[in-house]
């Protein structure tokens, strides 16, 4: 088995396979330092936590991660708590994606299974045949590896999806006329839970990584030049958008990292072609508002690992044949939720104010109806894997 990409999907797939005795090679275009330092999302669904635990990589997450039992929705200058524990009996874990990556890389190295960083010229061959192979260059040498299957875990900009004939795939896509400017700041989070704020100047989010580190986002223009955002402007805008009538203030501190994240909804159907199986961002992208990207990647590879285990145990290709269908049903529900959270909270450049009033009415409804709050909560903590 060859796995292309050492993000959450590729590394977790490798780990789940090695637990069932299936050998694999993981190829990653970037360096180990790069993948372990790249700041990404940080919310794990209840079920993702259980999957990481069962994969044997949950120990540090259990020690250092922050269990959250709810979130705050903020609008019209006041915050309203959505109590996940009361509404669903579950919660989420705040633990950075790069920490998940570090734990998975350590487990991979301990297992002795192959992991090549800095792999160049990665190309997949003959995926429609029974004898696929993967070519790559590592440390100046070109290799060709024959394998039973290939997992395309190489993200949205990878080579696996484009290597499938376009006529065999349908892409569904929506782009949004805004992006998120994200910062990581050395400052204690001013709220014990995440705050999702709708403000007339645009969306803002308070998140965190530890009791000493705050992660903050604000809605900006797509491809916003970071040069236009000196630290004082970022803090000023965040303080305004997250302000409320009770005098709440963010704690400010040195900014360690700044980046702009584009917003996109994307799904490819099917998620497989011949002996190539796509997982995670290679197959779908969600806007970050629902905090679902990493969780979808984890769910995909759980389904794929089980299908591969069935094949190697019994010779049956039934679960492999149904991989895409098994994933897509849930993927579309998660797409719907991520789109809905996005359209609920962002400033939309429309004339006439209809959307503004529609958003406030919806937020008011969620804050006053148990049924509406429960719908948000059960999606946020994670829909079941079927
Ligand atoms: N060859 C080898 N590796 C590649 C190639 C290639 N041609 N192209 C891309 N890669 C690597 C990238 O460098 C990256 O490390 O594949 C990896 C894909 O990882 P992610 O982008 O993290 O995707 P995935 O594992 O599916 O995880 C999805 O990551 O982007 C976030 O928000 C997203 O949380 C979600 C999660
Ligand atoms: C994060 O902490 O990075 C984060 C949290 C919630 C989101 C998106 C990102 O919806």
């Amino acid at each position: 088995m060859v796995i292309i990409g050492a993000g959450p999907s590729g590394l977790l797939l490798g780990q789940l396979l090695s637990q069932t005795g299936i050998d694999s090679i993981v190829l990653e275009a970037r360096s180990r330092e790069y993948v372990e330092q790249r700041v990404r999302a940080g919310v794990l669904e209840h079920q993702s936590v259980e999957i990481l635990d069962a994969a044997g990589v949950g120990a540090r997450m259990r020690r250092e991660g922050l269990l959250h039992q709810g979130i705050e929705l903020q609008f019209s200058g006041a915050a309203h708590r959505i109590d996940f524990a009361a509404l669903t009996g579950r919660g989420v874990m705040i633990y950075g994606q790069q920490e998940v990556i570090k734990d998975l890389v350590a487990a991979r190295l301990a297992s002795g299974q192959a992991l090549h960083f800095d792999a160049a010229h990665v190309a997949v061959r003959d995926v429609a045949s029974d004898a696929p192979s993967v070519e790559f260059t590592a440390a100046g040498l070109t290799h060709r590896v024959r394998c039973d299957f290939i997992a395309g875990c190489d993200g949205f900009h990878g080579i696996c999806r484009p290597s499938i004939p376009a006529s065999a795939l349908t892409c569904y896509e929506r782009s949004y006329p805004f992006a998120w400017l994200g910062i990581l700041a050395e400052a204690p989070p001013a709220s014990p839970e995440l705050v999702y704020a709708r403000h007339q100047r645009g969306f803002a989010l308070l998140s965190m990584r530890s009791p000493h580190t705050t992660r903050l986002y604000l809605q900006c223009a797509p491809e916003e030049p970071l040069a236009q955002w000196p630290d004082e402007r970022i803090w000023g805008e965040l303080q305004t958008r997250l302000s409320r009538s009770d005098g709440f203030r963010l704690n400010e501190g040195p900014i360690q990292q700044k980046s702009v994240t584009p917003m996109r909804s994307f799904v490819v159907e099917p998620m497989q072609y011949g002996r190539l199986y796509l997982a995670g961002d290679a197959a779908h992208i969600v806007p970050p508002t629902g905090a679902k990207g990493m969780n979808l990647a984890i769910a995909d590879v759980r389904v794929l690992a089980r299908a591969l285990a069935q094949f190697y145990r019994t010779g049956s290709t039934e679960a492999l044949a149904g991989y895409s269908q098994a994933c897509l049903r849930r993927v579309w529900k998660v797409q719907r939720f991520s789109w809905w959270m996005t359209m609920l909270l962002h400033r939309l450049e429309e004339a006439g104010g209809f959307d503004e009033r529609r958003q406030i009415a919806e937020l008011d409804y969620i804050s006053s109806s148990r049924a509406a709050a429960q719908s948000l909560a059960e999606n946020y903590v994670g829909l079941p894997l079927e």
Side-chain angles (χ1 to χ4, degrees):
M1 175 92 204
V2 176
I3 299 171
I4 304 181
S9 55
L11 288 168
L12 180 60
L13 178 61
Q15 176 68 9
L16 294 171
L17 293 180
S18 108
Q19 277 187 319
T20 44
I22 302 170
D23 287 341
S24 61
I25 295 178
V26 177
L27 302 177
E28 166 59 47
R30 303 283 194 152
S31 68
R32 178 174 179 183
E33 295 66 40
Y34 183 90
V35 300
E36 289 189 345
Q37 298 310 319
R38 184 168 42 186
V39 180
R40 292 269 188 77
V43 178
L44 290 165
E45 293 174 352
H46 178 90
Q47 185 171 251
S48 299
V49 170
E50 289 182 341
I51 294 171
L52 292 172
D53 266 338
V57 289
R60 193 165 67 94
M61 168 187 73
R62 288 284 179 192
R63 278 199 314 275
E64 298 177 14
L66 308 168
L67 264 177
H68 282 196
Q69 308 284 8
I71 55 167
E72 303 270 4
L73 280 184
Q74 186 169 316
F75 62 101
S76 307
H80 306 265
R81 183 161 190 261
I82 307 294
D83 186 337
F84 295 158
L87 293 163
T88 69
R90 296 180 157 202
V92 295
M93 178 77 83
I94 309 302
Y95 190 61
Q97 182 169 313
Q98 80 269 32
E99 305 307 321
V100 175
I101 295 290
K102 285 177 203 161
D103 297 342
L104 285 166
V105 168
R108 180 88 192 163
L109 298 175
S111 75
Q113 296 262 329
L115 167 55
H116 297 278
F117 289 104
D118 305 298
H121 312 297
V122 178
V124 301
R125 306 277 182 229
D126 308 318
V127 294
S129 79
D130 286 346
S133 60
V134 177
E135 270 177 23
F136 67 102
T137 306
L141 292 174
T142 298
H143 304 262
R144 185 171 186 136
V145 183
R146 286 175 155 275
C147 53
D148 297 336
F149 302 102
I150 301 169
C153 300
D154 52 349
F156 185 67
H157 300 287
I159 51 106
C160 289
R161 195 181 63 253
S163 73
I164 300 173
S167 58
L169 298 178
T170 308
C171 297
Y172 299 90
E173 191 160 15
R174 171 147 306 181
S175 64
Y176 300 88
F178 38 77
W180 281 12
L181 193 165
I183 63 164
L184 198 62
E186 252 174 77
S191 157
E193 291 179 337
L194 272 60
V195 183
Y196 286 82
R198 184 214 168 272
H199 189 273
Q200 63 265 28
R201 293 180 62 83
F203 171 75
L205 170 62
L206 182 164
S207 179
M208 61 207 66
R209 287 293 177 271
S210 76
H212 322 286
T213 317
T214 310
R215 178 87 172 135
L216 294 144
Y217 297 96
L218 58 86
Q219 178 184 353
C220 62
E223 290 164 44
E224 180 90 17
L226 276 176
Q228 288 178 18
W229 287 89
D231 295 3
E232 317 76 69
R233 181 175 175 213
I234 294 176
W235 285 116
E237 198 60 39
L238 285 168
Q239 293 287 14
T240 303
R241 295 189 195 183
L242 285 159
S243 66
R244 50 194 201 218
S245 44
D246 65 7
F248 175 85
R249 294 279 299 166
L250 294 171
N251 298 317
E252 299 185 14
I255 296 181
Q256 299 166 336
Q257 189 262 357
K258 264 188 220 183
S259 59
V260 173
T261 312
M263 307 272 278
R264 181 187 283 118
S265 299
F266 173 88
V267 181
V268 71
E269 291 189 10
M271 291 167 54
Q272 64 196 83
Y273 178 75
R275 289 184 169 244
L276 172 60
Y277 296 86
L278 303 175
D281 278 15
H284 38 67
I285 297 281
V286 285
T289 328
K292 292 300 179 203
M294 175 165 50
N295 295 294
L296 275 179
I298 290 172
D300 285 352
V301 298
R302 225 288 280 255
V303 175
L304 185 53
R306 293 210 161 175
L308 288 163
Q310 187 194 72
F311 173 80
Y312 284 107
R313 204 175 53 242
T314 68
S316 165
T317 55
E318 196 184 330
L320 280 171
Y323 165 70
S324 176
Q325 210 183 1
C327 291
L328 283 169
R329 225 172 128 200
R330 188 170 180 279
V331 164
W332 274 109
K333 289 182 193 148
V334 176
Q335 284 287 350
R336 182 213 65 86
F337 176 67
S338 304
W339 164 87
W340 174 79
M341 284 284 279
T342 303
M343 299 308 275
L344 177 66
L345 293 162
H346 289 76
R347 179 188 155 90
L348 307 168
E349 295 296 340
E350 49 101 37
F354 182 92
D355 273 319
E356 192 179 331
R357 281 161 180 75
R358 188 260 310 160
Q359 286 175 333
I360 290 170
E362 187 145 22
L363 286 160
D364 199 8
Y365 173 52
I366 298 163
S367 319
S368 56
S369 155
R370 183 182 166 94
Q374 195 167 28
S375 169
L376 189 161
E378 73 174 346
N379 279 277
Y380 199 98
V381 302
L383 296 175
L385 263 179
E386 284 154 25

